[in-house]
Amino acid sequence: MNTNPKSYLSVIIHQRIARLLYFRHICWPPLEGRRGPDSRESEATRCEYTQRRSSSFSGTYIVFYDIIPRPVTTTLRRLFSRVVCYSHTNNNNNNNNMGKRSRQRQKNQTPGRDDRDNADWGTGYADIVKENKLFEHYYTELGLVPGGEFEQFMDAMREPLPATIRITGYKSHAKEILHCLKEKYFKDIQEVEIDGQKIEAPQPLCWYPDEQAWHTNMSRKIIRKSPLLEKFHQFLVSETESGNISRQEAVSMIPPLLLKIESHHKILDMCAAPGSKTAQLIEMLHSDMDVPFPEGFVIANDVDNKRCYLLVHQAKRLNSPCIMVVNHDATCIPTLQIESGGKKGSLFYDRILCDVPCSGDGTMRKNIDGGCVCAFVTTQEFMQLLQLRIAVRGVEQLAVGGRMVYSTCSLNPIEDEAVIAALLEKSEGALELVDCSADLPGLKWMPGVSSWKLMTKEGHWFADWSEVPSHRRTQIRPTMFPPTEPEKLADMHLERCMRILPHHQNTGGFFVAVLVKKAPMPWNRRYPKDVSSGSAAQTEGSPAASTPADAPPSSAQESAAKQDGVCGPPASKKMKLFGYKEDPFVFLTEEDPVFITIQSFYNLAPNFPKLNVLTRTHDGKKRNLYMVSKELRNVLLNNSERMKVINTGVKVWSRNSDGEEFGCPFRLAQEGIYTLQPYIRSRIIRVSVEDIKVLLTQENPYLSKLEDNAHAQAKKLVMGSIVLKYIPNPDNTEDPQCPIQLCGWRGKTSIRAFVPRNERFHYLRLLGVEVFREKQGVGKEGEKEGKEEPGKVAGEEEAAAAAAAVEKEAELDLENGDENASSEPKK
């Protein structure tokens, strides 16, 4: 036993730091300075340690990567001799050169900032040898790539990934956005040449419905070289912030499409951050824009507290009252309770997206450090164990007849087919792998494999569990190998899995499998139904279902779980909460005094769901009011102590101190106008296209600037918050053919629109107005453009007025408490 006090103290300090950083992966043997395999976790979690011994000494080394701040590492070096601060770019393993940086080029590099942002795609990695012998050897041996295509596969992996965008499909503006892209920007791009090279115009993804997704090879460098492309870039940025366009990798769009979502479905996204797929789920839930509150909802979960706020930002753009962001470990996410017919029961989901953390070797086109195969066994052990636990927890919470999509951005069968095979085997027929070959016409994919081998870091192969030496069996698990019984393997139909290879359609690598639950899981149906927390059978719709998955396991359950330590009911864990303490979600009662003035001022319809309105404070004045759907209200009220909610609801009213003297202290919020407007029966002004142009390009126009019809309506209203509503005329096809609703304020002699900057530009584009801004303000390009194209008002004066109006609105919001730090929902 090593009694060296310095070494012992090093271990103690490492353990303390490990707990603070909340890391879970302990790697042995060492990862040779590579980043941790879990690409989903934040940079702060990528800390590992290893024990190194030699003939000259024995002891413990603490290995920190270059993510640890320099002052901390310097202090540790001074205190302890066996502290190593390791940079992830330094790797002396000659067999693993993927990501290896040329030391000579580093020496010759002039000091200063890495100029990757100003370089073409991939040129930031010009000094990286994109070669990995183990990677090539592994996938050549497995035979996942069709014969004769391996060189094409590797060439594609070395090429930069095309940029892809997706139009928000559920919004009524989707057709207008698509028309604007095709008729204005894409046509112009076809005529652009930079450095003698003709720019390739964006093309639609042939397998995505209704031309709602496009891909292009244009880089930042190319975009910035042409003012015309700079306009296109500004369009993308602005529309992305407004939620009308999402920049998302093509293969990432596949899982939500295979879920086949309908508006009444209850959906769980288990590992949701950063939120691109979650946004798709919300879009599909709101397939009918005329229904403000769909019956279904999306609960988006992520284990990383900080990434949950990134998830909130993504979801916020869609302004949906049917989304809730929660912060839990997906392997033990709690079973929620809901009330139905006066009785409580467990919530089972109709659809579950299980996009698990993985080694990410399919992402190397965009992430050169991802998919390192330098430590196969280490990565496989931790990843597959984690993936299988998440998948098991997912199918436990899936309703009978429900559908779960399991996906990874890894091509490795150990993380793909092996997890699905283990899940199917333990389900004892409760799960079925679905054939999705006809669901996405035009998508090229390879069927799943039913045989594979495992390779260690040293290049040793194991085809079966029986070949694994006893000293490696703590790392290599039986679930990593295919089932040995041919009949059982055939019944699984692993060929129904889908593997997307990069060279087939110029995408990243991806794996998808769709599962349908035909019966409760075996460890649920074997036990009594009468549990104190309620009957899960009533909610799941099957008399066989019983125990909620988070109930204390019985001895039979525990023995079943001990068979492999993975499947069966997860071991009981005490819920741990990390990150910030969120403010409460307080629902208003129907008798709340707030509704007295709101009801009379806006003449709310009798069916307005008052019980769905909430605020974020128990005491003091209510600064903002939010709305959630009926079912999410049910979830919140019955689970406040068993889950950590980061954010939910959409803001519909903001307190305005000036409004009290006009009859109502709350003004309408643009975020929730499409949710709230169907219930408002007064304070509405019908406006024309020309009216909207005036309102969005002038800071505070007089009422007389409006056309006669709108002017007459405005004169009849008292001062205060209003709705500006545009209804399209089918006979006038030159005008936008989608409804537009804006929040505004009717002053004493003037009128204004309360619309955020990016949405302001979005609506102006729909009306044919292009406000083109240079980086240092409003540029001359917009002015010239306005002169060249009659009917456009993209000049300097109008653009400056629009910007000033937005800034003025921001100041007013600040006065009225819209920007109130961490005490308000981070939406």
Side-chain angles (χ1 to χ4, degrees), residues 11-28:
V11 175
I12 296 300
I13 287 183
H14 167 263
Q15 291 174 346
R16 300 293 184 190
I17 294 175
R19 288 172 186 167
L20 288 174
L21 294 180
Y22 186 49
F23 78 94
R24 286 167 292 175
H25 304 305
I26 300 173
C27 299
W28 173 266

Side-chain angles (χ1 to χ4, degrees), residues 627-698:
M627 290 192 72
V628 297
S629 64
K630 178 182 177 181
E631 290 300 325
L632 272 189
R633 179 182 184 273
N634 192 348
V635 172
L636 271 171
L637 289 178
N638 290 287
N639 300 277
S640 58
E641 299 299 325
R642 75 173 61 225
M643 66 176 181
K644 181 180 179 183
V645 180
I646 300 296
N647 192 269
T648 190
V650 59
K651 183 165 67 174
V652 289
W653 280 293
S654 273
R655 180 173 288 277
N656 179 16
S657 56
D658 294 336
E660 295 186 15
E661 60 182 291
F662 307 128
C664 182
F666 287 92
R667 69 173 178 87
L668 298 167
Q670 182 65 30
E671 296 97 312
I673 189 61
Y674 287 94
T675 299
L676 190 61
Q677 193 277 323
Y679 301 101
I680 297 177
R681 298 187 296 180
S682 67
R683 312 290 303 171
I684 299 176
I685 299 177
R686 290 277 299 273
V687 293
S688 66
V689 168
E690 294 303 318
D691 291 330
I692 298 179
K693 288 181 181 179
V694 170
L695 290 165
L696 295 181
T697 57
Q698 298 185 29

